Amino acid sequence: RDGKTPLYNWSLSQMAERLDRMRDCYQVFTRMGDCELDMMDDPWTEVHPADIWARVRDLEVRLEDAQAQNLRLESHHARAVAWGVFLWQGTHSDHTLKIIFGAWLHVVTRQAQPLQHQAT
């Protein structure tokens, strides 16, 4: 033989799937002039199981962090609502309602800010 060894041995279905992804990358490249790929999405390489495990673990940590942040926000929201109800039970004055809805607005605004940062 010529001394060349294959890089990967893919089944016919694996090759067909990778070829479809290669075509997709080519289409993006011809339209945009660039096609950035994550190592997990790169059809030209075989991802090592350790890299997959590291990605899964990273996603699990991110999920746990997001769940903890959500719990903190829910707890803060519940305290604000309880405080508003406490104030409201004592009196129904306009001043009290203004304080309650001001606190509610503050909680809602603070909850929306992390979501806006995550979307960008």
Side-chain angles (χ1 to χ4, degrees), residues 69 72-74 76-77 79-80 102-118:
Q69 181 181 8
R72 284 190 303 273
L73 290 173
E74 287 175 357
H76 181 73
H77 175 72
R79 284 193 311 267
W104 174 79
L105 178 63
H106 177 73
V107 169
V108 170
T109 304
R110 299 244 336 149
Q111 285 178 346
Q113 287 174 349
L115 296 176
Q116 291 171 354
H117 292 300
Q118 290 174 1

Side-chain angles (χ1 to χ4, degrees), residues 7-20:
L7 294 176
Y8 309 111
N9 290 312
W10 294 325
S11 68
L12 186 58
S13 62
Q14 286 175 316
M15 185 60 202
E17 187 268 332
R18 286 177 181 273
L19 187 57
D20 283 342

